[in-house]
Amino acid sequence: MFKILGFLFLAQFLGNPFLALIVLFLILYVLDRRYVGILPSIAKPFRRSRQMSRLRTTISLNPNDVSSKFELARLLIERKRYSEAKELLLNIADRYEQSAEYWVELGYANLKLGMLPEGEAQMLQGLEINRRAQYGQPFLRLAEIFRSVDQDKALHYVSQFQEIHTSSSEAYYLAGSMYKALGRNDEARRAFEESIAIYRSLPKYKKRQERGWALRSYFAKMR
């Protein structure tokens, strides 16, 4: 109702319904980014592209800058350019042999390229070095890959992720989403309910960070 009234007011005030719709969306977007965090950041893809451009320039000037190569590979994986990322990662393997972050990124690139045994082994190697690497996200990535190949393995990786996060609305939402994708609706609902319960128990300063995940869990539970 508030959105409708706001739209009608803006349409009358601006004299243009299309412009009013744009202004209303911008207001809702700013409020969401400030207080909730459900909508994706419009600026993030542009920031990532600029960062990739800077890294490429740095590497062209200093081909031995392995840290820039690793960061560029990570951003390429975010952009789903797995082959290019893998080539960069293999190029710096000797400098990152003991890095958990390196092995989970290389493993994920191989998983997305269809090399499941190799990718899984590399991700597990990284998690053996540091089980909490990337806050346990590699376990969810493994579950995502194996959900249509080996459901028992996918469920195992979801449970491993949950063991790391016992007080995070985000973690239980992500786990619930994975359970739902695997057709385990009861487990999914319990995970979404736990996500909401955790949010309610958090101190005020933490609720801003977790509010968007709690809302996602609420809507996911209702579906």
Side-chain angles (χ1 to χ4, degrees), residues 1-219:
M1 179 62 71
F2 173 76
K3 292 180 183 178
I4 295 173
L5 292 174
F7 172 73
L8 292 175
F9 170 78
L10 286 171
Q12 184 174 9
F13 179 75
L14 296 172
N16 185 324
F18 181 70
L19 182 58
L21 190 62
I22 294 174
V23 172
L24 181 62
F25 173 78
L26 289 174
I27 292 171
L28 292 174
Y29 176 80
V30 170
L31 290 173
D32 173 83
R33 297 301 302 170
R34 176 65 179 85
Y35 297 106
V36 183
I38 290 180
L39 296 176
S41 170
I42 295 174
K44 184 177 179 180
F46 299 102
R47 288 198 303 267
R48 183 170 55 198
S49 293
R50 287 197 302 270
Q51 188 177 1
M52 289 174 66
S53 179
R54 287 196 298 269
L55 289 168
R56 290 185 189 279
T57 300
T58 299
I59 293 167
S60 68
L61 295 172
N62 182 10
N64 296 319
D65 188 341
V66 294
S67 61
S68 292
K69 288 183 178 180
F70 179 74
E71 182 62 17
L72 178 58
R74 189 185 64 79
L75 293 172
L76 286 167
I77 287 173
E78 287 185 11
R79 292 283 299 273
K80 300 182 180 181
R81 293 161 64 174
Y82 304 112
S83 294
E84 190 177 351
K86 178 181 176 180
E87 184 178 349
L88 271 174
L89 290 170
L90 291 176
N91 184 255
I92 60 174
D94 59 330
R95 298 289 295 275
Y96 281 88
E97 188 176 352
Q98 299 303 316
S99 168
E101 297 279 338
Y102 172 82
W103 287 112
V104 297
E105 292 291 358
L106 178 60
Y108 187 61
N110 275 320
L111 287 172
K112 298 301 284 187
L113 290 169
M115 304 174 69
L116 300 192
E118 183 177 353
E120 181 184 20
Q122 289 165 338
M123 291 194 82
L124 292 177
Q125 183 174 343
L127 290 166
E128 186 175 344
I129 295 171
N130 179 9
R131 181 175 170 78
R132 293 180 174 271
Q134 298 181 356
Y135 304 100
Q137 286 286 341
F139 286 118
L140 277 186
R141 284 178 161 184
L142 285 164
E144 173 198 357
I145 293 294
F146 284 102
R147 72 182 185 187
S148 58
V149 179
D150 187 332
Q151 189 172 101
D152 289 337
K153 185 176 284 189
L155 289 169
H156 167 71
Y157 286 133
V158 172
S159 69
Q160 294 293 299
F161 175 77
Q162 284 185 290
E163 285 182 12
I164 294 174
H165 296 277
T166 57
S167 59
S168 167
S169 290
E170 177 185 4
Y172 276 91
Y173 169 77
L174 294 172
S177 299
M178 188 58 63
Y179 279 129
K180 196 167 188 177
L182 291 167
R184 307 292 286 260
N185 293 328
D186 290 340
E187 288 96 329
R189 183 178 181 83
R190 284 196 292 270
F192 293 138
E193 288 174 347
E194 186 64 24
S195 172
I196 297 167
I198 287 171
Y199 169 77
R200 289 171 177 164
S201 69
L202 292 172
K204 287 185 179 180
Y205 75 91
K206 285 284 290 181
K207 283 189 173 180
R208 164 64 184 87
Q209 180 181 341
E210 298 279 349
R211 186 174 295 128
W213 299 108
L215 282 172
R216 288 181 178 91
S217 295
Y218 175 80
F219 291 123

